[in-house]
Amino acid sequence: MWMVVLSSPQTLAQTAFLRNSIPSPTRVSLSLKTPCSSLTAKCQQQQKTQEDGIPADEVKILAKFKSRHNYIRVLEVSRKAEHPFRGSRLLLLDTPGNIHSISFLFKSLTNTYFDVFATLPPIVPPGPLALLGFGAGTAARLLLLHHPSALLHCWELDPAVIQVAREYFNLARLERDNQDRLFIYVGDALNATVPNGFSGIVVDLFSKGSLIPELQDPATWRMLRGRLRKGGRIMVNVGGSCVEAENRLRDGKVVMEETLGAMKEVFGKKVFVLSLGNRKDDSSLALTGDLPHLEEWKNRLPGPFKCYADMWTPYSHRGVHMGGRPYHKEVLIEVSC
């Protein structure tokens, strides 16, 4: 894999020359950050269009450089590509190529785990939501668009990621249109706090292709629980076997189970899991609190999101159990909403 390191600070425009100066493969293969939405051949049983990757002439590199925290790449997939990501822009932040944000030109839904995050507001009390791990703002955009009363406080460690989001993912417009609803902070997401606590917390914290180690520590979950107001919940991307870490010792399935185990130690039986993929350990989301009344939850969700309410099942140390119809192992969610 080719990588160019630029000394900081550098403008994104200075990376434009990379498109012509770096040899290109005949096909582009990328790993998708959890839950197991992958462009690569690493999940071998996938559809041919996905396991073969995307032809390189259908992918444009818009930016490629290394920041203090990440190996940042922004890719644009042609609308003519025979791939579920056609017409999208993708944000990659680590060497394996895990995708941390996705944006489509003509639609808001992504058919990835980001859509599931947008089901949280109806099951938490009124108040601000925290988004820990902003990326280029995929989850924030969905929450703001589909929940007009949502108030978001978002944290991102890397200022270069925010700069990329403003230049390539229309974040500047999202901020301008939601000045009283969207607040972005650069810094350690685990320091996130607001007066009187959050009504809900969305956790999507990865570094070097793996869930951050703090999430395998019950003390972290006790701390986050203490930052919720009464009745608040946490929804977490806990990864899975299709997440590729830079450190091969950080096995995605093992890290997922360690994270869920740490959550269970703090929240007891009030941990539920929504599994993605064809196998229970492919990749998952976790939710804390009592299981909501499903019909009430669905009645308060916009149409495209109603189906996700039925897919949560109690977490067990024996493994992550799937509910509802299965998701496709790759980016597309194989459910009919």
Side-chain angles (χ1 to χ4, degrees):
M1 179 175 291
W2 289 82
M3 176 167 62
V4 174
V5 181
L6 302 179
S7 59
S8 180
Q10 297 282 349
T11 65
L12 296 177
Q14 290 173 292
T15 69
F17 77 95
L18 296 174
R19 278 178 267 170
N20 297 320
S21 63
I22 296 178
S24 298
T26 57
R27 304 188 76 81
V28 175
S29 292
L30 309 169
S31 312
L32 226 235
K33 184 173 75 100
T34 155
C36 224
S37 311
S38 173
L39 278 174
T40 67
K42 81 184 154 170
C43 301
Q44 296 296 328
Q45 65 268 44
Q46 301 317 312
Q47 296 176 359
K48 186 175 187 300
T49 55
Q50 294 182 350
E51 68 184 15
D52 286 352
I54 304 174
D57 60 0
E58 294 180 345
V59 178
K60 182 186 296 185
I61 301 175
L62 302 182
K64 181 174 181 176
F65 65 101
K66 191 170 184 179
S67 70
R68 177 182 176 185
H69 300 286
N70 296 292
Y71 175 30
I72 297 175
R73 284 146 292 167
V74 178
L75 306 184
E76 185 172 77
V77 182
S78 170
R79 293 171 59 190
K80 298 179 180 179
E82 292 296 327
H83 195 279
F85 286 166
R86 59 185 173 270
S88 71
R89 285 187 175 180
L90 310 172
L91 175 67
L92 287 65
L93 293 181
D94 48 49
T95 302
N98 294 294
I99 297 174
H100 290 247
S101 290
I102 181 169
S103 174
F104 289 90
L105 185 60
F106 296 112
K107 64 178 183 177
S108 63
L109 298 182
T110 67
N111 290 336
T112 72
Y113 72 97
F114 290 114
D115 297 352
V116 185
F117 283 154
T119 67
L120 182 61
I123 57 172
V124 297
L129 297 170
L131 205 169
L132 310 186
F134 184 77
T138 304
R141 188 179 304 277
L142 285 163
L143 286 161
L144 292 169
L145 177 63
H146 295 281
H147 301 282
S149 63
L151 175 64
L152 304 184
H153 291 264
C154 310
W155 275 261
E156 172 57 50
L157 182 64
D158 192 346
V161 170
I162 299 300
Q163 184 184 1
V164 163
R166 288 174 176 147
E167 184 160 349
Y168 295 106
F169 292 87
N170 289 321
L171 176 57
R173 179 176 179 179
L174 190 69
E175 292 175 297
R176 186 171 60 251
D177 293 345
N178 296 278
Q179 295 182 35
D180 57 345
R181 299 176 58 208
L182 176 62
F183 303 92
I184 301 172
Y185 312 94
V186 174
D188 186 349
L190 295 181
N191 293 329
T193 185
V194 292
N196 302 316
F198 298 106
S199 63
I201 300 176
V202 173
V203 179
D204 194 15
L205 293 174
F206 285 74
S207 178
K208 300 180 190 271
S210 178
L211 280 167
I212 63 172
E214 290 87 345
L215 298 183
Q216 290 89 65
D217 185 351
T220 299
W221 298 108
R222 294 189 188 96
M223 176 187 66
L224 292 175
R225 183 180 61 180
R227 295 178 185 173
L228 291 170
R229 57 182 56 187
K230 184 178 180 180
R233 299 175 183 272
I234 304 175
M235 188 178 286
V236 191
N237 175 2
V238 293
S241 60
C242 274
V243 182
E244 185 176 353
E246 293 180 6
N247 182 350
R248 294 187 178 276
L249 298 179
R250 296 282 293 173
D251 178 79
K253 176 183 176 181
V254 173
V255 172
M256 176 185 74
E257 288 293 347
E258 290 177 349
T259 301
L260 288 168
M263 294 181 68
K264 186 174 180 64
E265 184 172 326
V266 175
F267 296 98
K269 295 181 179 181
K270 297 183 179 183
V271 177
F272 295 84
V273 172
L274 187 156
S275 295
L276 310 176
N278 297 324
R279 300 175 306 179
K280 65 184 180 183
D281 60 355
D282 281 347
S283 200
S284 301
L285 297 175
L287 176 69
T288 68
D290 292 316
L291 186 65
H293 186 280
L294 296 182
E295 289 305 315
E296 292 181 4
W297 189 4
K298 288 190 284 187
N299 287 340
R300 298 179 63 189
L301 285 172
F305 304 102
K306 293 181 184 294
C307 57
Y308 304 129
D310 291 319
M311 301 185 71
W312 295 93
T313 58
Y315 171 67
S316 166
H317 279 300
R318 296 179 181 178
V320 181
H321 301 287
M322 295 184 66
R325 293 177 58 194
Y327 282 68
H328 191 277
K329 187 165 182 170
E330 296 280 313
V331 65
L332 291 184
I333 296 176
E334 297 290 342
V335 291
S336 176
C337 294

